[in-house]
Amino acid sequence: MNSLVLNEELSQLSLLVIYAAMAIFTLAFFVSGYHLSQAASTKDKNLKTVSVLERVALALALLGTLILAAGVIMRGIAAARVPWANLFEYSITGALILMIIFFISIRAKEVRILATFVVGFVLLVLGTAVSIFYVQVASLMPALQSYWLVIHVMVALLASGFFSLAAALSVAYLLKTANWVEKGKTKGIRNFKKVMEVFPTKEKLEQLAYRFNIVGFILWSFTLIAGAIWAERAWHRYWGWDTKEVWTFIIWTIYAGYLHANATRGWSGKRAVWLGLIGFAAVVFNFTFVNMFFKGLHVYSGL
Amino acid sequence: MSSSQRYESPDIGLTGWARWIWRQLTSMRTALLLLLLLAAAAVPGSIYPQRSADPNGVVQYFRNNPDLAEILDVFQLFDVYTSVWFSAIYILLFASLVGCVLPRTQIHFDALRAEPVQTPTNLSRMPVYESTASPKGLDPVELGKNILSKQRYRIAQRGDSISAEKGYMRETGNLVFHFSLVGVLLAVGIGGGFSFSGQRVLAEGDTFVNNLAGFDSLSPGTFFNPETLAPLSLTLENFEVDYDFLNKTNIGAPLDFRATVTVRTPADQKGTTHLVRVNQPLDATGASVYLTGHGYAPEITIRDANGDISYSGATVFLPQDSKMTSIGIIKVPDNLPEQLGIVAFFYPTASELESGAFTSIFPGVIDPLLSMNVYTGDLGLDSGIPLNVFALDTDRLTQVAGRGTENPGLEIKLGETADLPNALGTVTFDGIKRFASLDIAYNPGQFWVLLFSLLALAGVIISLTTPRRRVWVKKLGDSFEVAALSKRDDPRLEEFVRELTKAIRNG
């Protein structure tokens, strides 16, 4: 006989902690945005203030990450299992993983400059999680009681984290190379162009995006294989074109196309960057719409 | 069109055209377009229900949108992944892949045997380039050669320069990846042909014999041979479910399903007992047994007016909700004055609603109740058309008990007996068993699919993380030059050249 003990009070507390993390992330977002605008407009003499601003923004983001980590761990303890078994938990753990990957990567200063994008995206994910995806702690349905839950979902979240950072770099690339920005006519656009000049060169952005996408692609391939192994154990077949399997396949294929595009004359550069972003759009679609509205065996959103 | 405007194309003949088409097909651009097309073509299969994954969904779709469904069906949108157009795309993609990879394999084999390329005359044109004074009294080319050979570069010395290459694994990994994908496709196709999966519902105490007649339904592959079914029988000894009683917000959630089964084979007549759970199938020789569903099978006995038994046994009731309100159909064609049909509801923990109807409020058995609507007349069993055992065709039946008739529906508690209307006899609720839905499946291809998938994964990791480098060191009077070139992305190339230069400089 199972004797599972859920701790709903701790789960409520975990939610409060996540709200606190969001508050800190919001601060980090504004300071980081302010840093970008200062860096764009400053002359050399103010460089010190600028780098202080950047450090404050990153410190706030780090604080937010630590608080978020506490919230995620509390949620796991409250549910007496890994905190990634429904859409709410995927989101908070996914946001945490993205922040961790970000902080591991910021040794490269080209990644550091993405702080505004990344923190903004994490805020969006957490906001959606607490407002739309929230569910109380519940036991794991028997179909999810497998160590493959730990592996398969964790690797999928890691892959999504790398894809997200690549997407942030790609967006920066597109903003930097967009015609309307380069030929900016209004004052607003000219100022925006100055902000984009703070970002690395377009070659560097493209190259970094490619590297993050490569790691994401490898992890996604592993997610697919691990999912098939688990599907064989749980559902008697390794592949059955379940909606979630279909979308995992679609995402894999788009990113495979992206890798080919980078080696195809006439397709590298802007077109490849767009392809990578289409892949990321498919990741987001799979995570939200497919989880919530599509019929299939992966009905684990908890909603 | 006037003749002066006509474009005169050279007559390349049939083989010329074939060669042209093949070259187009095997070009990178075509591969890319086919990949994107494949991704797009997979989308409709997630929007419309598929016969393979969700056959009931397709039936439902035809019922709700009959006209649209007809049209969609013409375009095979309910069988996307076996459709002509989806198959065409992936077959073309794989043709393109093979056509691209085979010549590359030849080129790679040649490259593996060839010497590193000539040192370019003007090294400063290379993407990474350094030049500095040579160390006193030492030969920079010799030093570079020592360092690079320790790093397992392949080196060719030509006069005052060396040309070194490394990273052949990049292309090796790439080729392994692509060939493994062909392996995956073949293993999926051939394995699927020899596979089968069958479903069987077993109440506690029932036995399944692994032959064609033993399955409730069977989906065999094209080359499946029933003779190859392993000679075994499987008895469901008992089935246990743990529900959450403890946590207020989680009450009634299933925590564990356990099927205890005994498997007997000719070599093991006494049988061996196993535990089958979700995520923990039983791997027998020639087939695995998976637990895919469960429910209640109340034991019901129907007697005629004389007290002689006309129906008896555990009847499978299909669960309708998470609290296990279940519906069962009982058909008694013989041994009674009239044919009898019953639509029965089972509530493991019954609770009466204000309307007087019942519902179950907990999925476990706490206060069980059976309620029944009774019909008499013609069950339609003699028409020869196979009927769904989980549905009662009431067209030629008359309802004699239950809502809308003068007799109330029967309500029977465990162990009790109720009278059938019109003095037809009695119904007794003897006991409650559980049933398990089992999938018995075998796919000889899946081992190979996994093997090739892992090979492909290894190949792509090696290919994407190994830089393919060409490095040159050249002596120019008292100084020396170092230059390097990399195929595609190579994050550490600059750092590498800088350190190599420094190492040579310092002797």
Side-chain angles (χ1 to χ4, degrees), chain A residues 4 6 139 143 145 230 232 236, chain B residues 46 247 250 255 279 290 439:
Chain A
L4 169 84
L6 302 173
S139 58
Q145 293 170 12
W230 188 8
E232 190 278 326
H236 88 256
Chain B
S46 71
N247 301 289
N250 199 50
L255 300 176
N279 277 313
Y290 305 80
D439 267 37

Side-chain angles (χ1 to χ4, degrees), chain B residues 48-51 58-59 61-62 65-80 82-85:
Chain B
Y48 303 110
Q50 298 295 296
R51 287 205 172 88
V58 179
V59 173
Y61 201 95
F62 266 87
N65 313 286
D67 297 334
L68 182 61
E70 290 286 338
I71 299 169
L72 296 178
D73 207 19
V74 170
F75 293 103
Q76 299 178 296
L77 284 162
F78 299 115
D79 306 283
V80 166
T82 50
S83 69
V84 176
W85 44 275

Side-chain angles (χ1 to χ4, degrees), chain A residues 50-185:
Chain A
V50 172
S51 85
V52 167
L53 271 178
E54 179 170 48
R55 256 180 270 161
V56 171
L58 287 176
L60 282 170
L62 185 62
L63 180 64
T65 305
L66 292 174
I67 298 174
L68 178 61
V72 169
I73 291 168
M74 283 159 75
R75 173 81 185 188
I77 295 171
R81 53 170 167 72
V82 288
W84 53 84
N86 55 51
L87 200 44
F88 170 72
E89 293 169 357
Y90 300 150
S91 305
I92 56 171
T93 307
L96 176 62
I97 287 174
L98 173 54
M99 287 311 297
I100 292 172
I101 298 173
F102 173 73
F103 274 108
I104 291 173
S105 320
I106 57 166
R107 280 195 313 157
K109 65 175 187 303
E110 294 88 354
V111 177
R112 207 176 310 157
I113 201 79
L114 293 174
T116 323
F117 288 10
V118 175
V119 171
F121 182 68
V122 159
L123 267 176
L124 198 68
V125 172
L126 290 176
T128 316
V130 294
S131 60
I132 300 175
F133 299 156
Y134 183 74
V135 285
Q136 287 183 322
V137 281
S139 58
L140 272 188
M141 63 173 88
L144 285 181
Q145 293 170 12
S146 165
Y147 53 87
W148 286 109
L149 172 73
V150 182
I151 304 167
H152 168 68
V153 180
M154 176 43 84
V155 178
L157 290 175
L158 273 171
S160 308
F162 280 93
F163 285 147
S164 306
L165 276 174
L169 290 154
S170 304
V171 169
Y173 173 95
L174 288 177
L175 289 176
K176 213 177 160 89
T177 56
N179 259 332
W180 59 270
V181 177
E182 292 210 317
K183 299 196 183 103
K185 296 210 170 60

Side-chain angles (χ1 to χ4, degrees), chain A residues 19-63:
Chain A
Y19 273 116
M22 287 172 68
I24 304 290
F25 279 134
T26 311
L27 270 177
F29 178 72
F30 283 116
V31 176
S32 173
Y34 185 59
H35 157 248
L36 278 186
S37 73
Q38 286 302 93
S41 60
T42 193
K43 302 281 172 289
D44 284 338
K45 63 176 161 52
N46 287 329
L47 219 60
K48 208 171 161 194
T49 353
V50 172
S51 85
V52 167
L53 271 178
E54 179 170 48
R55 256 180 270 161
V56 171
L58 287 176
L60 282 170
L62 185 62
L63 180 64

Side-chain angles (χ1 to χ4, degrees), chain B residues 6-81:
Chain B
R6 201 160 74 205
Y7 175 68
E8 293 285 338
S9 65
D11 185 14
I12 54 174
L14 206 61
T15 43
W17 274 108
R19 200 172 293 145
W20 182 82
I21 291 173
W22 183 246
R23 239 194 338 262
Q24 291 303 310
L25 180 65
T26 57
S27 79
M28 198 72 155
R29 189 186 306 263
T30 309
L32 171 58
L33 290 177
L34 285 170
L35 265 173
L36 298 180
L37 208 55
L38 188 68
V43 174
S46 71
I47 297 170
Y48 303 110
Q50 298 295 296
R51 287 205 172 88
S52 56
D54 181 18
N56 294 331
V58 179
V59 173
Q60 193 77 32
Y61 201 95
F62 266 87
R63 203 174 297 144
N64 295 344
N65 313 286
D67 297 334
L68 182 61
E70 290 286 338
I71 299 169
L72 296 178
D73 207 19
V74 170
F75 293 103
Q76 299 178 296
L77 284 162
F78 299 115
D79 306 283
V80 166
Y81 307 107

Side-chain angles (χ1 to χ4, degrees), chain B residues 159-177:
Chain B
D160 276 348
S161 75
I162 49 165
S163 171
E165 291 199 35
K166 194 186 173 180
Y168 297 88
M169 284 303 278
R170 185 180 184 90
E171 182 68 355
T172 309
N174 182 29
L175 295 173
V176 166
F177 170 72

